[in-house]
Amino acid sequence: MRIRFYNARVLTMRDGEDIFEGEVWTQDDKIIFCGKKSQVDEYYKENPQSKLSFDREIDCKKNLLMPGFKNAHTHSAMTLLRSRADDLPLQDWLNEQIFPVEAKLTAEDIYYLTQLAILEYIEGGITSIFDMYLTPMSIADACRDAGMRCVQVGAVNNFSQSVELVEECYNTLNGRDSYNSYILGFHAEYTCSKELLEKIAELAHKYKAPVFTHISETAKETAECKERYGLTPTQFLDSLHMFDYGGGGYHLVHTDEKDMEILKKRGMYVVTNPGSNTKLASGIAPINEYLKRGIPVALGTDGPASNNCLSMFREMFLATGLAKLRENDASCVDAMEVLKMATVNGAHAMGLNNCDMLSEGKTADIIMIDLNKPNMRPINNICKNIVYSGDPSNVKMTMIGGIIRYEDGNYNIGIGTDELYKKVEEIKARIDKEL
Ligand SMILES: [Zn+2]
């Protein structure tokens, strides 16, 4: 399958490259050409034997092609819990509302609830997710069947999953199909015993692999870890040699100087979740401090129970807006920095090094931003328009692995929206009855 996007503006996200007018061509799951109009003729000169015929040629009408957004932290199947328990203190929210419902979820429920999230991802230009949830195999199936790129992370804690399951997923999901991969991880320090954490650290050493987890989301969690072990969560986990092969933390809101030194030394990623941190009153992450130290920051929505929407546009605005507020400096964390977090840094954090930019040979995970909308006009600065005034309605097309999964309001994930909404309502009704 060969697709030609022409008459486009192109934002490659390659370092230092400005937006240009040109074309992008894909063949199967790869980008085979990405360049300016003048380079098209050059390409044909260099490849005279391949006067390519295309299965589809798309006139982009000067709209923008760019790499898809990477949602670097989510719990997709928590769609069921969206707007079910809000405006509550964090602990009440978790213990009285979230956990009892989650206890009733089956692997099949999670398959459909994940697919509901996928609809929202693709209509918002998200082409990869870094997902942590309860039943990894049914999540992987949901993503494969819908054509969503998914990197899962181990979610083991004292109450669910096991280190054995994490190792099994690591060995089976990596390479199982072209959509799924798996990274070692656990839920959080505060939900795992020291023994359990030591076993995960052993796995990291066995496979020489990075580890990701929730770290220092709240002040309470951080203080309690200090009481237990005399160290912050970052310092305690590092003392177990958890991050000897890198990895990263979700949230990382309440960190000190020593924590940042560890993040830097271990080559770790910070995945910031400003929407969730705002709604759950967890605090404002010091992302300007991380960036100043050269610690890469990626961006995630967190789950739909704590956010509640799965839009990277909102996260981008909040990431820079909250950083400006925190630092009392309207110039910090500029729009381009935020776009990099939402694309390149996210891809690298997730181990998707071939999905980070638009370039020949890279994976064809591409979105088209509709510039023919009032919130994108006038065209003073497209990147700033996307970060400060963009929203999912600006996404015209989402391609994952060379297949268009969303285009002008139409979804292509193998199941119709009516059928999927019906399934989700049935799950909701069943669980309400069981509770
Ligand atoms: Zn989370």
Side-chain angles (χ1 to χ4, degrees), residues 164-307:
E164 290 72 27
L165 177 69
V166 171
E167 186 170 13
E168 188 196 327
C169 291
Y170 184 79
N171 285 317
T172 54
L173 287 178
N174 283 315
R176 188 192 77 161
D177 57 67
S178 57
Y179 292 104
N180 283 285
S181 54
Y182 191 90
I183 285 180
L184 299 179
F186 55 95
H187 176 258
E189 177 277 327
Y190 63 94
T191 54
C192 295
S193 67
K194 191 175 177 198
E195 294 67 35
L196 178 57
L197 295 171
E198 283 168 343
K199 282 193 195 164
I200 297 283
E202 266 173 46
L203 269 192
H205 281 254
K206 181 175 174 183
Y207 292 102
K208 297 185 173 26
V211 177
F212 280 76
T213 188
H214 295 99
I215 306 178
S216 288
E217 177 176 359
T218 62
K220 182 172 181 278
E221 166 202 338
T222 309
E224 284 176 357
C225 184
K226 278 189 191 166
E227 262 172 47
R228 255 192 302 279
Y229 302 113
L231 295 167
T232 65
T234 304
Q235 292 160 35
F236 170 63
L237 294 169
D238 189 57
S239 77
L240 303 178
H241 299 283
M242 190 66 80
F243 306 117
D244 286 5
Y245 295 94
Y250 308 122
H251 299 289
L252 283 162
V253 176
H254 302 277
T255 47
D256 62 21
E257 193 57 44
K258 221 169 160 191
D259 294 336
M260 294 193 205
E261 278 170 29
I262 291 170
L263 297 171
K264 174 76 182 155
K265 188 167 119 200
R266 302 288 180 212
M268 292 169 70
Y269 288 86
V270 170
V271 180
T272 193
N273 311 102
S276 169
N277 295 157
T278 300
K279 182 165 175 275
L280 296 178
S282 305
I284 303 175
I287 61 170
N288 194 48
E289 291 296 312
Y290 297 137
L291 293 169
K292 263 186 0 203
R293 287 166 177 75
I295 300 164
V297 178
L299 200 53
T301 59
D302 207 1
S306 54
N307 188 313

Side-chain angles (χ1 to χ4, degrees), residues 229-430:
Y229 302 113
L231 295 167
T232 65
T234 304
Q235 292 160 35
F236 170 63
L237 294 169
D238 189 57
S239 77
L240 303 178
H241 299 283
M242 190 66 80
F243 306 117
D244 286 5
Y245 295 94
Y250 308 122
H251 299 289
L252 283 162
V253 176
H254 302 277
T255 47
D256 62 21
E257 193 57 44
K258 221 169 160 191
D259 294 336
M260 294 193 205
E261 278 170 29
I262 291 170
L263 297 171
K264 174 76 182 155
K265 188 167 119 200
R266 302 288 180 212
M268 292 169 70
Y269 288 86
V270 170
V271 180
T272 193
N273 311 102
S276 169
N277 295 157
T278 300
K279 182 165 175 275
L280 296 178
S282 305
I284 303 175
I287 61 170
N288 194 48
E289 291 296 312
Y290 297 137
L291 293 169
K292 263 186 0 203
R293 287 166 177 75
I295 300 164
V297 178
L299 200 53
T301 59
D302 207 1
S306 54
N307 188 313
N308 295 356
C309 82
L310 301 170
S311 162
M312 290 291 279
F313 289 92
R314 192 161 84 175
E315 297 305 314
M316 289 193 290
F317 180 82
L318 284 171
T320 176
L322 292 176
K324 286 164 167 45
L325 266 180
R326 190 179 195 278
E327 308 296 334
N328 195 25
D329 175 4
S331 73
C332 83
V333 189
D334 69 27
M336 202 57 206
E337 191 79 62
V338 180
L339 268 187
K340 197 175 161 199
M341 287 180 202
T343 55
V344 179
N345 292 359
H348 294 171
M350 295 157 81
L352 300 173
N353 293 337
N354 219 32
C355 303
D356 53 352
M357 302 169 189
L358 301 190
S359 215
E360 269 172 47
K362 294 277 184 185
T363 303
D365 288 4
I366 304 168
I367 59 173
M368 195 195 302
I369 300 288
D370 192 349
L371 302 178
N372 292 305
K373 292 270 187 181
N375 67 343
M376 289 287 135
R377 293 285 170 155
I379 298 179
N380 283 320
N381 183 314
I382 292 172
C383 294
K384 290 187 198 292
N385 276 356
I386 292 171
V387 171
Y388 295 120
S389 68
D391 65 46
S393 74
N394 293 115
V395 175
K396 225 177 137 43
M397 186 279 317
T398 300
M399 167 185 267
I400 302 172
I403 298 172
I404 293 174
R405 295 294 178 182
Y406 174 79
E407 191 174 13
D408 292 324
N410 298 305
Y411 306 87
N412 170 28
I413 67 162
I415 180 170
T417 50
D418 288 350
E419 189 187 347
L420 191 46
Y421 297 154
K422 188 165 163 261
K423 288 267 185 206
V424 169
E425 295 300 334
E426 281 167 8
I427 294 166
K428 178 184 138 39
R430 193 201 77 231

Side-chain angles (χ1 to χ4, degrees), residues 81-219:
L81 293 148
R82 177 178 3 234
S83 305
R84 189 181 174 105
D86 303 290
D87 312 319
L88 292 168
L90 180 78
Q91 289 310 318
D92 296 353
W93 171 81
L94 205 55
N95 294 317
E96 289 164 31
Q97 303 291 333
I98 304 296
F99 289 156
V101 174
E102 286 187 331
K104 305 281 181 199
L105 288 173
T106 67
E108 194 191 349
D109 295 340
I110 289 173
Y111 176 97
Y112 290 113
L113 294 166
T114 300
Q115 290 200 332
L116 176 63
I118 290 171
L119 291 179
E120 197 175 349
Y121 294 140
I122 58 177
E123 74 167 11
I126 294 169
T127 53
S128 308
I129 53 170
F130 204 174
D131 204 333
M132 176 195 272
Y133 211 50
L134 299 170
T135 57
M137 292 305 171
S138 74
I139 294 167
D141 290 347
C143 291
R144 178 202 56 203
D145 296 348
M148 183 76 206
R149 196 169 309 289
C150 175
V151 181
Q152 283 192 72
V153 61
V156 59
N157 59 33
N158 292 335
F159 322 103
S160 75
Q161 298 196 354
S162 64
V163 177
E164 290 72 27
L165 177 69
V166 171
E167 186 170 13
E168 188 196 327
C169 291
Y170 184 79
N171 285 317
T172 54
L173 287 178
N174 283 315
R176 188 192 77 161
D177 57 67
S178 57
Y179 292 104
N180 283 285
S181 54
Y182 191 90
I183 285 180
L184 299 179
F186 55 95
H187 176 258
E189 177 277 327
Y190 63 94
T191 54
C192 295
S193 67
K194 191 175 177 198
E195 294 67 35
L196 178 57
L197 295 171
E198 283 168 343
K199 282 193 195 164
I200 297 283
E202 266 173 46
L203 269 192
H205 281 254
K206 181 175 174 183
Y207 292 102
K208 297 185 173 26
V211 177
F212 280 76
T213 188
H214 295 99
I215 306 178
S216 288
E217 177 176 359
T218 62

Side-chain angles (χ1 to χ4, degrees), residues 14-85:
R14 291 188 291 227
D15 246 357
E17 189 169 58
D18 289 333
I19 292 171
F20 59 81
E21 290 190 14
E23 303 201 0
V24 176
W25 305 346
T26 67
Q27 180 168 321
D28 302 326
D29 66 340
K30 291 277 182 293
I31 294 169
I32 57 166
F33 177 83
C34 172
K36 294 176 184 154
K37 270 193 295 201
S38 58
Q39 291 171 278
V40 174
D41 294 339
E42 224 171 277
Y43 180 90
Y44 278 123
K45 237 187 269 170
E46 285 172 18
N47 302 275
Q49 75 284 11
S50 65
K51 270 282 177 192
L52 293 178
S53 62
F54 292 93
D55 298 283
R56 195 171 161 203
E57 302 193 40
I58 298 172
D59 181 354
C60 298
K61 297 179 177 153
K62 297 275 191 303
N63 287 314
L64 182 81
L65 297 175
M66 64 174 284
F69 298 119
K70 278 71 188 175
N71 184 354
H73 179 55
T74 185
H75 311 280
S76 299
M78 290 181 87
T79 40
L80 181 70
L81 293 148
R82 177 178 3 234
S83 305
R84 189 181 174 105

